[in-house]
Amino acid sequence: MSTGIPNIPPESATIADGALRGQLEDLATSHGSPMWLRRQKGSAEETVRDAAVLMLFGRGGEVRTEAGRAEKSRLAQLGVADVDIVLLQRAATLRHHPGQVAFPGGGRDPEDDSMAAAALREAEEEAGIPPDTVEVLGEMDPLYIPVSKFEVTPVVGYWRQPGRVQVMDQRESYSVYRVAIADLVAPANRGTFARPDLKISTPAFDVGVLKVWGFTAGILDFALEHLGWAGGWDTKAPIAIDF
């Protein structure tokens, strides 16, 4: 039976996947988050809506940049050279965060019996990811987005049966990709995006097909560091992003 990982015996793939799952479970239970995304105590009186996003890690994603290909040998030593994560670009017509890159996800509906259920439902609706192919490994602490007044729970998932992702509704998503971790951690693909109108600066990633900044980039930056996959990068390198 094929493991979906070229040139790796099935027993080795099982060991590698077990190690990856263990790392992701540790991420989910870390209770960490970028401090600048934590909700301020003074905002407790605001009406806040619950939301969830799916941080879905799998294997087999395509490395798209030269800088990413240069990272593969280093990541191979960590057993994650072929790991990827699902990201999408939101439609430009959306009310909240139009055109931004995000994890699949959205507001919790009354029928969602948990934050994980909300994240899985949204991932299916936005990217065509069958919920029964995803193993939910846990939830990170909720994070607050003051612009839209959402309190967002990142749900960490392992894609047992990775497959194709696609835009399911053009009113919600412009594009969706499985983005290689190698492209995300490559120092040449990393930097900072400053948005003067909001007086904020955030980590940023340019992985060729997408440019990531803001909330999603902050979580990715934290996760890659916590997992031990990130290398050194220049935090002063600017990344230009149209918004």
Side-chain angles (χ1 to χ4, degrees), residues 143-210:
L143 302 171
Y144 181 56
I145 305 181
V147 174
S148 52
K149 293 184 172 58
F150 276 107
E151 192 158 73
V152 183
T153 298
V155 176
V156 180
Y158 171 66
W159 206 355
R160 293 192 308 263
Q161 303 170 39
R164 182 169 172 258
V165 292
Q166 59 184 320
V167 172
M168 303 300 291
D169 186 346
Q170 293 183 347
R171 294 171 299 179
E172 292 196 11
S173 305
Y174 176 76
S175 61
V176 57
Y177 295 95
R178 293 172 59 183
V179 176
I181 294 299
D183 285 328
L184 287 168
V185 300
N189 295 345
R190 302 197 60 179
T192 298
F193 171 65
R195 185 165 169 176
D197 60 325
L198 295 180
K199 298 181 180 179
I200 62 169
S201 295
T202 78
F205 302 80
D206 182 352
V207 296
V209 291
L210 295 170

Side-chain angles (χ1 to χ4, degrees), residues 16-60:
D17 283 354
L20 175 59
R21 287 176 69 261
Q23 289 179 290
L24 297 177
E25 287 173 347
D26 179 69
L27 172 65
T29 59
S30 65
H31 301 296
S33 65
M35 291 304 297
W36 56 274
L37 285 174
R38 290 185 181 252
R39 188 178 179 190
Q40 300 298 314
K41 293 181 180 179
S43 61
E45 71 281 359
E46 294 180 344
T47 300
V48 176
R49 186 182 176 192
D50 287 335
V53 295
L54 182 63
M55 298 177 66
L56 183 57
F57 295 84
R59 289 189 182 273

